[in-house]
Amino acid sequence: MLQNKIKTVLLLAFSLCACAEEMPTTPREIAPPYQVPTFTGENIDFHEIKPAPNPAKTVDADLITHTINACYPVAPMNLEVAVKVGTNYRPTNSAGTIQTADSASYYAGVVASMPLYSGVEIDKEQKLAIDRKEKTAGLVAQMLTALSTKRRAERMLTLYASLEKRSQKRVADGIVAVDEQIGYLEKVAQTQGELDGANAQIEGSRLALIHQCTDHDIERLNNFILSEIY
């Protein structure tokens, strides 16, 4: 009976040794955990991200408006012309005188009156001038509003990018859940969209302003507006 137990123990020991020899000596390769990328995908240190100074430059809206209004093409002047036609009879001096072309009994006359400025023309020019000024003021206001949105978005984008990168590190270290990084990623994407929209609105206002003037003034006015807003 004792011998049978010894044989069983020896067989079990030999089985364990055989299994140990068959096991791989190298450790199993573990796949790295998934890491949520940042919005931009740049591998940067969040400690080094600093908000851009981006000082708010004061824009002279009155100067821009006055400059644009002064460059409008001069509208053609359509003058009113009044024409009067009449006939008259001039009696002869004596019955015995031979009539010539200069002393004929009947003659016709045409009288034209052309005022320097008519009431209709003055009203039309005043209406056009008011419309131009209102349109210019609206475009300048639209451009300045978009410029303010652009400046804010640029600063917020830098801040959110820093927080997003820091959150990525916190998620990788197991400090917080991935929801924190996803939240900052959405803020970065939203702010980038605001920045793109502001840039598009600035460009649209700038083009609308400069193309209200004559062709030879476009380049000069474009450089002037860019120097004022940037």
Side-chain angles (χ1 to χ4, degrees):
M1 187 70 177
L2 181 59
Q3 292 180 352
N4 291 335
K5 291 182 177 180
I6 294 174
K7 289 181 180 180
T8 302
V9 172
L10 292 174
L11 290 173
L12 182 60
F14 283 128
S15 299
L16 293 174
C17 292
C19 292
E21 292 178 357
E22 293 177 358
M23 291 179 64
T25 57
T26 58
R28 181 185 300 176
E29 294 183 359
I30 302 176
Y34 174 74
Q35 186 181 56
V36 179
T38 61
F39 181 78
T40 60
E42 298 180 1
N43 186 18
I44 53 180
D45 185 359
F46 67 89
H47 294 94
E48 298 178 355
I49 301 179
K50 297 181 180 180
N54 191 17
K57 179 181 178 181
T58 302
V59 180
D60 192 343
D62 290 335
L63 179 59
I64 295 177
T65 304
H66 175 74
T67 305
I68 297 298
N69 285 331
C71 77
Y72 281 118
V74 178
M77 182 67 69
N78 299 318
L79 297 178
E80 295 178 347
V81 179
V83 178
K84 295 181 180 179
V85 179
T87 60
N88 199 354
Y89 170 75
R90 181 172 58 189
T92 58
N93 295 327
S94 60
T97 306
I98 300 176
Q99 301 295 322
T100 63
D102 294 334
S103 60
S105 300
Y106 295 93
Y107 68 95
V110 179
V111 179
S113 60
M114 185 176 63
L116 293 178
Y117 293 98
S118 67
V120 175
E121 195 66 28
I122 292 175
D123 291 341
K124 185 187 299 182
E125 289 299 317
Q126 289 179 345
K127 179 71 165 56
L128 288 175
I130 294 173
D131 291 343
R132 289 168 178 172
K133 291 179 180 179
E134 289 181 349
K135 183 177 181 180
T136 302
L139 289 172
V140 172
Q142 178 179 310
M143 183 173 62
L144 296 184
T145 301
L147 182 62
S148 176
T149 303
K150 171 184 171 67
R151 290 170 174 170
R152 177 187 177 277
E154 287 175 343
R155 292 185 62 83
M156 296 305 298
L157 186 62
T158 307
L159 293 173
Y160 285 143
S162 175
L163 292 171
E164 181 193 18
K165 191 63 182 180
R166 174 179 176 270
S167 181
Q168 185 187 51
K169 176 64 176 174
R170 284 159 54 86
V171 171
D173 293 342
I175 301 174
V176 295
V178 72
D179 295 345
E180 181 182 278
Q181 182 185 348
I182 297 298
Y184 284 122
L185 187 149
E186 292 175 348
K187 289 183 179 297
V188 172
Q190 179 181 357
T191 308
Q192 182 63 55
E194 294 175 359
L195 180 60
D196 294 339
N199 283 328
Q201 195 169 23
I202 291 173
E203 291 302 300
S205 301
R206 179 184 60 83
L207 292 174
L209 285 171
I210 64 177
H211 283 285
Q212 291 185 81
C213 301
T214 56
D215 292 340
H216 67 273
D217 285 331
I218 289 179
E219 184 177 358
R220 175 181 63 85
L221 291 171
N222 184 59
N223 295 333
F224 163 72
I225 292 177
L226 291 177
S227 65
E228 283 293 317
I229 64 177
Y230 295 130

